[in-house]
Amino acid sequence: MKNMIKKGLTLGLGLAITTKEQAEKIVNELVEKGELTKQESKEFVDELVVKGEEAKKDLDERIDQKVKQLLDELNLATKEEVDALKQRVEQLEEAREKTESK
């Protein structure tokens, strides 16, 4: 029964729980109900935090990939491209000023 509860909570809460405090609160409730021992609760909190961090990292990577894909599809200039163009315009303006002052 405990393993089933653990697996269900790990799966369901692993994605939602991102802070240790939230995990501890939920696990303490399970300890109070007698569904987990103190030792199991510590291990469970650690497991939930790790799974939450992994899920957050995975979600961040997916979002980054999707944003890059959307920007590529929109054919928008990157910040680096815009910065390079600004620098080139400044160089051209300086060259023009030098030519006009002769």
Side-chain angles (χ1 to χ4, degrees):
M1 180 70 173
K2 287 181 186 178
N3 278 341
M4 198 163 132
I5 291 172
K6 239 175 136 172
K7 286 180 183 178
L9 284 174
T10 300
L11 182 63
L13 298 175
L15 295 173
I17 295 178
T18 57
T19 67
K20 190 171 183 176
E21 293 80 24
Q22 289 172 317
E24 287 173 342
K25 179 181 174 186
I26 292 168
V27 171
N28 285 339
E29 290 174 12
L30 292 173
V31 170
E32 288 174 14
K33 293 178 184 177
E35 295 177 12
L36 290 175
T37 66
K38 289 279 186 185
Q39 179 59 33
E40 288 173 329
S41 70
K42 181 184 176 344
E43 293 168 2
F44 193 44
V45 167
D46 293 342
E47 184 180 339
L48 286 174
V49 169
V50 167
K51 287 188 184 288
E53 289 170 356
E54 289 171 355
K56 183 181 182 308
K57 182 180 176 183
D58 182 55
L59 183 60
D60 288 344
E61 288 172 2
R62 288 181 186 205
I63 289 171
D64 287 346
Q65 289 173 350
K66 191 63 175 175
V67 167
K68 287 177 185 175
Q69 179 185 358
L70 289 172
L71 288 175
D72 287 344
E73 289 174 8
L74 292 172
N75 200 26
L76 296 175
T78 65
K79 181 180 182 331
E80 291 80 15
E81 292 170 329
V82 171
D83 289 342
L85 288 172
K86 285 179 183 178
Q87 185 178 14
R88 180 68 178 138
V89 167
E90 288 172 6
Q91 291 170 347
L92 291 170
E93 287 175 344
E94 288 174 10
R96 188 191 75 211
E97 288 174 9
K98 287 180 183 177
T99 304
E100 289 177 354
S101 65
K102 288 185 180 182

